[in-house]
Amino acid sequence: MLIRQAAFAKKGTFLKGNLHCHTTLSDGKGTPAAVIRQYENAGYDFLAITDHQRYNFTNYEEGSDLLILPGIEEDRFLDGVGMPVLHIVGVGPEEGNGYTDGQPVHYQRGGSACQCQDIIDNVRGAGNLAVLCHPMWSGNAVEEIKALHDFQMIEVWNTGAALDWGTDSNTYHWDVLLHEGRRVYAVASDDGHNLQQNCFGWVRVNAEKNVPSILKALENGEFYASCGPEIYDFFIEDGQVCINCSPVSQIILRNFSCPHRMLRGENMTGGQFQLRDLCTDYIRAEIVDAQGRRAWTQPIFFD
Ligand SMILES: [Zn+2]
Ligand SMILES: [Zn+2]
């Protein structure tokens, strides 16, 4: 029997994109035009400019071929020690996403993370996909995140949070959700607030370069997240879990409750694991290159 992770189930081009960034339109240091030019020069195909409480459609750089994915980051300051927050990025269609270009959204304060379902409902009700952002940086307890529903993605890497705050361990939140049977996909995002924080974490999406195709692929898990390595295939065949990738020094197989397994070596371009003793209904892989940069497959679900 062959089960192939959805990103690799069809032939296609893997577009490179960032789903989360800031500009001078909110608290970022780079102008929208400079940020767009930077991503385009770095070989990106698409970018969502997700300034706080402001939905953006516009490509501000004249002559740029970078595709702008409409988007926003909606925030809430919560009650509690250390001022926890909940942040949700919404990305959506060019028509009928419930917002107008540049529309400001009113800030709200108070409550706990598990009382923030209305943010997700607001984003989703307007036809957007929802990304739960940087849960470790936000101070979101796993139990609170489990109480939220109907978000499609979670940041397992957030460049700004990792570089400035050392909070880059969001895969635990993700594995808890997967262990609960939730279909949530991992993204790596920059969330850059200045140009030095951009182009370190991205998604590679098996889609055509237009907004509907990219949104459909994100919703279906037809992508992977990366800070460097490339993933070419991830599948299970005849009881073997297989991954093919660019040269890496670690290949790690994960699910929630089994002992994790790791292959180490130099310039490994793939690995195989015997599938055995699985206690949960998904399996996923992470790879790490010689520079310590990671990439994450989406899970293969067994149901
Ligand atoms: Zn945020
Ligand atoms: Zn942000």
Side-chain angles (χ1 to χ4, degrees):
M1 186 177 64
L2 174 67
I3 310 174
R4 180 162 267 127
Q5 201 282 316
F8 311 102
K10 62 177 183 187
K11 292 225 181 307
T13 305
F14 278 84
L15 304 177
K16 185 176 184 178
N18 177 29
L19 299 176
H20 186 173
C21 84
H22 297 278
T23 73
T24 49
L25 295 170
S26 64
D27 59 348
K29 297 284 194 296
T31 64
V35 169
I36 288 166
R37 181 55 57 197
Q38 182 184 19
Y39 278 100
E40 182 160 20
N41 288 344
Y44 281 67
D45 299 291
F46 67 92
L47 174 69
I49 297 177
T50 55
D51 278 298
H52 300 283
Q53 310 300 112
R54 184 192 185 283
Y55 201 100
N56 181 72
F57 296 54
T58 301
N59 188 329
Y60 288 85
E61 177 69 344
E62 205 170 315
S64 168
D65 287 331
L66 195 71
L67 180 69
I68 297 298
L69 201 61
I72 186 172
E73 182 171 23
E74 291 209 32
D75 308 348
R76 187 163 297 167
F77 292 101
L78 305 173
D79 298 328
V81 176
M83 204 175 71
V85 297
L86 188 92
H87 288 185
I88 298 291
V89 155
V91 289
E94 291 160 300
E95 301 277 340
N97 56 37
Y99 299 84
T100 55
D101 193 18
Q103 180 182 339
V105 175
H106 182 61
Y107 264 110
Q108 293 187 54
R109 291 172 181 271
S112 63
C114 55
Q115 293 171 318
C116 293
Q117 185 61 40
D118 62 300
I119 301 179
I120 299 170
D121 292 346
N122 184 43
V123 166
R124 293 283 294 132
N128 301 280
L129 302 176
V131 184
L132 179 75
C133 303
H134 48 64
M136 186 182 178
W137 182 86
S138 296
N140 300 140
V142 170
E143 289 302 319
E144 292 183 305
I145 296 305
K146 281 165 63 176
L148 300 173
H149 55 85
D150 206 23
F151 56 92
Q152 287 67 47
M153 292 167 271
I154 183 170
E155 287 179 350
V156 297
W157 169 268
N158 177 297
T159 301
L163 295 186
D164 279 7
W165 308 88
T167 52
D168 57 352
S169 302
N170 300 303
T171 52
Y172 182 70
H173 288 76
W174 184 34
D175 275 316
V176 169
L177 293 170
L178 295 173
H179 185 53
E180 295 268 304
R182 305 270 291 269
R183 302 251 170 167
V184 178
Y185 299 117
V187 305
S189 298
D190 281 328
D191 193 11
H193 285 73
N194 58 58
L195 300 184
Q196 290 72 42
Q197 292 176 337
N198 291 342
C199 305
F200 290 100
W202 55 84
V203 287
R204 283 276 192 184
V205 184
N206 189 345
E208 295 169 20
K209 192 176 169 179
N210 61 67
V211 172
S213 180
I214 292 168
L215 292 175
K216 185 162 174 282
L218 292 172
E219 190 167 18
N220 292 338
E222 294 164 351
F223 67 105
Y224 65 88
S226 181
C227 292
E230 297 187 347
I231 303 172
Y232 306 128
D233 207 353
F234 181 52
F235 60 95
I236 301 171
E237 189 168 34
D238 299 331
Q240 297 273 335
V241 186
C242 304
I243 184 168
N244 297 325
C245 55
S246 59
V248 294
S249 50
Q250 297 176 16
I251 301 175
I252 306 147
L253 197 66
R254 295 203 191 280
N255 67 2
F256 185 78
S257 52
C258 279
H260 305 290
R261 277 174 277 164
M262 178 191 280
L263 300 174
R264 287 177 185 276
E266 287 184 14
N267 296 317
M268 294 185 293
T269 55
Q272 294 189 350
F273 301 84
Q274 190 67 38
L275 189 64
R276 61 168 197 265
D277 300 333
L278 285 173
C279 307
T280 58
D281 54 3
Y282 74 94
I283 198 87
R284 64 180 186 83
E286 287 179 33
I287 55 178
V288 187
D289 70 12
Q291 290 82 47
R293 302 178 303 176
R294 271 170 202 272
W296 301 259
T297 73
Q298 307 302 343
I300 291 174
F301 298 101
F302 297 141
D303 58 340

